[in-house]
Amino acid sequence: MTRNLRKMYSVVGALLLLEFLAQFYTIASSGFTSVANDIANSGNSSAASAVDEIDLFSAAHAVNGVFFVPITILALIILSFGARYPRKTTVMAALLLLLWVVQFALAFVGFLGVAALAGLHGINALVMVGLGIYLVRSNWVFRSQAPAPTLSNGLSGPGESLG
């Protein structure tokens, strides 16, 4: 049972990293879309409706970041308990949730117009990715078991005597 939960932890961790990748993709696409629209509309003084201003990439970024990422992080926390990982792993997964709360708050601050503080949203995202990669790599269960290295004298490695 524990082995299966550890496999699930690895899969959910990999899913979280894909969600982080999607976050970077969608926000970069949104930025380029916004700049392209600004350039195209620079000579047009007509006011656009609020619906026209909604960018699908930024909407996808928001939906992924507000709904999918925290649910996946919560799943990691729950699976770390079920898989009986060390307390350090569970605490670090909980830290990832805390970093998500900070991420959400920084985005909110950005929408209030405090750009200098909201810029930390990107830095916090990089910290979250780093912690996510650490958690996935250190708890990855799908590693192939390589045979022990063989020494030139035919012994299988450290711990064996030569006599």
Side-chain angles (χ1 to χ4, degrees):
M1 178 71 156
T2 301
R3 178 84 175 143
N4 289 336
L5 289 175
R6 288 181 178 214
K7 286 180 180 180
M8 288 175 58
Y9 183 95
S10 291
V11 169
V12 169
L15 176 64
L16 180 65
L17 294 180
L18 287 174
E19 290 171 1
F20 287 160
L21 182 64
Q23 286 296 88
F24 282 102
Y25 174 80
T26 55
I27 202 60
S29 298
S30 174
F32 284 115
T33 301
S34 296
V35 169
N37 286 340
D38 288 347
I39 292 170
N41 295 327
S42 62
N44 187 0
S45 63
S46 65
S49 69
V51 175
D52 292 337
E53 292 294 318
I54 295 175
D55 174 24
L56 291 179
F57 288 112
S58 59
H61 180 81
V63 168
N64 188 36
V66 171
F67 296 107
F68 297 123
V69 169
I71 290 170
T72 307
I73 293 171
L74 285 172
L76 273 184
I77 295 169
I78 293 166
L79 287 168
S80 69
F81 280 114
R84 298 182 184 206
Y85 276 126
R87 179 172 299 185
K88 177 183 173 185
T89 299
T90 305
V91 168
M92 292 179 84
L95 176 61
L96 198 55
L97 184 64
L98 178 64
L99 288 170
W100 176 84
V101 170
V102 170
Q103 189 74 347
F104 186 83
L106 289 170
F108 186 76
V109 166
F111 291 127
L112 293 177
V114 187
L117 188 57
L120 295 173
H121 183 82
I123 294 170
N124 190 61
L126 293 174
V127 172
M128 290 177 69
V129 169
L131 181 56
I133 289 171
Y134 174 80
L135 285 170
V136 171
R137 281 195 68 193
S138 62
N139 298 296
W140 190 253
V141 295
F142 298 109
R143 286 186 182 89
S144 62
Q145 296 296 328
T150 306
L151 300 176
S152 61
N153 61 6
L155 299 177
S156 65
E160 293 196 22
S161 65
L162 295 174

